[in-house]
Amino acid sequence: PMADEKLSTILLKITKKLAKDKDQVKRGVKEVVKAIKRKKATGGLVLICGDISPIEVVAHLPVYCEDNDLPYIYIPSRDALGTACRTKRPTSCALLIPKEGFKNLEKYK
């Protein structure tokens, strides 16, 4: 499911807050898949960019997420996701793993 503009903005703000602590955000296909396989992603949310070309780069992520009961959502821009993750490079996907005290993410799952 593609996030609308309002939800996308909210999720990117949450990502920016979580990115202050590097343990709460995993970015890039390799890190996200590794965290999902190692079961470190419980209670998290996967953000996948919709403007990736070729799409095969991230096509397997929804399958991993569904197999591990992990919610995921598509974000329109990889540039915006890269900026929210506090990197200079665009990011194809990110995994948000909030600590227990972070309650803003719960209502958007």
Side-chain angles (χ1 to χ4, degrees), residues 11 31 35 45 55 72 95:
L11 289 171
E31 282 188 36
L45 173 68
I55 195 68
Y72 66 93
L95 171 63

Side-chain angles (χ1 to χ4, degrees), residues 8-20:
S8 177
T9 305
I10 291 169
L11 289 171
L12 291 174
K13 284 182 182 178
I14 292 171
T15 304
K16 201 169 198 172
K17 286 181 185 177
L18 288 175
K20 291 178 183 176

Side-chain angles (χ1 to χ4, degrees), residues 33-51:
V33 169
K34 193 187 312 181
I36 292 172
K37 282 185 177 180
R38 292 182 180 173
K39 305 290 184 194
K40 293 183 178 180
T42 55
L45 173 68
V46 178
L47 304 176
I48 306 170
C49 291
D51 63 347

Side-chain angles (χ1 to χ4, degrees), residues 24-27 32 35-36 41 44-46 70 93-97:
Q24 295 187 64
V25 175
K26 304 290 182 192
R27 59 177 183 79
V32 170
I36 292 172
L45 173 68
V46 178
L70 200 63
C93 62
L95 171 63
L96 307 181
I97 311 168

Side-chain angles (χ1 to χ4, degrees), residues 71-90:
Y72 66 93
I73 192 162
Y74 285 89
I75 298 290
S77 171
R78 66 185 185 148
D79 293 325
L81 185 60
T83 303
C85 289
R86 298 181 184 266
T87 61
K88 295 178 183 176
R89 309 257 322 152

